[in-house]
Amino acid sequence: MAGSPIDIIVFAPLAPLFGVILFWFIQLLFIESQKYLLSKIRPKHEPLCRFTNFLGILFQTICHALGYTVTKSGISSFYISINYGKVAPKKEKKGVFEWLSNGFLFIGPFFIPSSLLLICLYFLMSSGFDTSIPGTVIEMEYTFAGQMITFGTNLYTFSEGFFGFLFNIDLLHPAHFGFVLLLIFIGMGIRPSHIGEKKREKVDMLYDLKNIKNNILHKPLYLFILFLMSYVFFYVSLLLNQNWYVSLFSIVGWLSIIAIVSLAVTHIILLLIRTTDEIPGYWKFIPYVVILVSYVVMRLVFFLFPADFTNSTSLLAMILSTILSVILLLKYKTNKFKTKTPMKSLRKLKTEDETDVPRRIIRE
């Protein structure tokens, strides 16, 4: 084990924590970007935006209820609507129990919904969950650099298996198709866009950070105790020569990666909706038909003529054909309207000018 005692005792436990905060901040940026896209399609797709807000409030309320359950406060009532959600405990507990319950409310929605996908991936993925220490860093594992490298390696291993699963996913498989639907639902509803029935309060990154800051500053001693417990857990892992500490933070990092991927998938869907809104008439539905038809046709072709990488090739063909259909529709169904209207208006202005000149001369 290389490294100075100060590095091992003071700085090494901070490395995985900094990594988790970094990925959580990236997750926040993706959420803000998604809310911007939702605001752009809201005028034409109000029901969809209301549904995403309902999902966000649902996840938030469930996390709050889970906080009351963990702290043994109990649940006396559970209310959920499109604009608002509320959970009332059976026993009003103060102090650390209230602080933990609020922690589940303010931080839980970023990680707890993703844990459902992580559980599904445990049964669907064949690799990616290995958190064993690489031999190249085993001698420096308990330094700041070693902890950061181990944390990054664990995230890379999981990401490699996760993306490999996504690129080869079988949409005709019920479990795989159900995972994709759950991925979209969680991506759409990680955070609501507004809360409140009478007065709608905007929910953005600053709103979330303000609530977390207020909860921390309300009882800073509890955060210090939690911080101290993490150091104790690191020292226990150090004495037993185990990587339990970095493995725990790696799991939280996996949850952030899953959330970021689900948000990225919903970004693609929202961009497709926003783009097809520019296509007039029923032509806007053509890309959605192409998604279904192209994938089924490719799977039938590979069923009749077996080949390698059938799932990934079918996905690639579906994506490319959808992009091509959108480009062609935008070119041939929108430019016509953009060119015809100015020509008509110019002709109209020209005839009006020609008829107005003689009238002005006669009047003069």
Side-chain angles (χ1 to χ4, degrees):
M1 178 166 40
S4 64
I6 296 178
D7 185 8
I8 297 173
I9 296 174
V10 178
F11 297 108
L14 298 176
L17 179 61
F18 288 163
V20 168
I21 292 175
L22 174 62
F23 278 90
W24 176 61
F25 186 75
I26 296 173
Q27 184 179 340
L28 283 174
L29 294 178
F30 268 86
I31 292 173
E32 284 300 296
S33 176
Q34 177 179 289
K35 290 177 182 177
Y36 173 78
L37 290 176
L38 286 171
S39 67
K40 291 299 180 182
I41 68 171
R42 184 178 296 275
K44 294 184 178 180
H45 302 278
E46 180 68 22
L48 175 62
C49 295
R50 287 166 62 87
F51 177 69
T52 60
N53 193 73
F54 170 76
L55 287 177
I57 293 177
L58 175 64
F59 292 147
Q60 177 177 285
T61 310
I62 290 175
C63 291
H64 201 190
L66 184 61
Y68 284 134
T69 303
V70 170
T71 56
K72 296 184 178 180
S73 300
I75 300 173
S76 63
S77 63
F78 186 97
Y79 173 78
I80 182 73
S81 70
I82 294 177
N83 299 318
Y84 187 67
K86 184 179 180 181
V87 182
K90 287 183 178 180
K91 301 177 182 178
E92 290 285 348
K93 292 187 177 182
K94 301 296 182 180
V96 65
F97 298 104
E98 180 186 14
W99 188 79
L100 286 175
S101 299
N102 291 332
F104 273 86
L105 172 63
F106 299 136
I107 303 177
F110 297 104
F111 301 101
I112 293 177
S114 302
S115 62
L116 298 175
L117 293 172
L118 184 62
I119 294 173
C120 295
L121 287 173
Y122 183 78
F123 296 99
L124 295 175
M125 278 173 46
S126 58
S127 63
F129 295 95
D130 186 16
T131 59
S132 59
I133 305 170
T136 55
V137 298
I138 194 167
E139 294 184 355
M140 54 178 297
E141 59 178 301
Y142 295 110
T143 62
F144 182 89
Q147 290 286 286
M148 186 63 75
I149 293 173
T150 306
F151 175 79
T153 303
N154 291 340
L155 262 61
Y156 173 79
T157 303
F158 174 80
S159 299
E160 186 179 23
F162 184 31
F163 285 109
F165 167 74
L166 291 178
F167 294 152
N168 293 278
I169 197 167
D170 184 4
L171 296 180
L172 300 182
H173 191 289
H176 290 192
F177 184 72
F179 176 82
V180 172
L181 291 181
L182 186 61
L183 185 76
I184 294 172
F185 284 151
I186 289 179
M188 287 286 188
I190 286 184
R191 297 297 292 136
S193 57
H194 64 268
I195 58 174
E197 292 181 335
K198 295 182 179 179
K199 179 183 178 181
R200 290 190 175 187
E201 186 174 1
K202 184 180 179 182
V203 178
D204 54 10
M205 186 169 66
L206 297 178
Y207 174 87
D208 291 324
L209 293 176
K210 181 181 69 175
N211 285 331
I212 295 172
K213 182 198 72 173
N214 292 337
N215 192 42
I216 291 175
L217 295 181
H218 179 62
K219 295 291 184 180
L221 178 62
Y222 297 151
L223 181 65
F224 176 76
I225 294 174
L226 185 63
F227 197 69
L228 188 63
M229 290 175 60
S230 67
Y231 268 78
V232 172
F233 183 51
F234 172 79
Y235 299 146
V236 171
S237 301
L238 173 65
L239 293 175
L240 297 179
N241 196 25
Q242 300 292 329
N243 61 331
W244 296 335
Y245 180 80
V246 72
S247 296
L248 177 63
F249 281 94
S250 296
I251 294 174
V252 181
W254 295 349
L255 296 176
S256 289
I257 290 176
I258 293 173
I260 292 171
V261 171
S262 63
L263 288 165
V265 171
T266 54
H267 269 68
I268 296 173
I269 296 174
L270 294 176
L271 286 172
L272 178 62
I273 294 174
R274 185 182 178 186
T275 304
T276 53
D277 283 343
E278 300 178 7
I279 302 172
Y282 292 102
W283 293 100
K284 66 176 66 177
F285 299 107
I286 295 297
Y288 303 101
V289 177
V290 170
I291 292 175
L292 177 62
V293 173
S294 61
Y295 186 80
V296 173
V297 169
M298 289 300 300
R299 291 302 303 270
L300 287 175
V301 170
F302 285 121
F303 178 77
L304 297 174
F305 305 98
D308 296 331
F309 308 107
T310 58
N311 293 338
S312 57
T313 305
S314 300
L315 284 175
L316 181 62
M318 180 187 71
I319 295 171
L320 293 178
S321 59
T322 304
I323 294 174
L324 181 61
S325 66
V326 171
I327 293 175
L328 292 176
L329 288 170
L330 288 174
K331 181 177 180 180
Y332 293 105
K333 292 299 177 182
T334 58
N335 286 351
K336 288 184 178 180
F337 290 92
K338 291 180 180 179
T339 55
K340 281 186 176 182
T341 303
M343 290 299 294
K344 289 181 179 179
S345 60
L346 285 174
R347 290 174 183 173
K348 186 177 180 181
L349 290 174
K350 185 176 180 181
T351 55
E352 288 179 355
D353 291 340
E354 290 175 352
T355 54
D356 287 344
V357 171
R359 289 178 182 176
R360 290 174 185 173
I361 296 173
I362 294 171
R363 287 177 182 175
E364 292 178 355

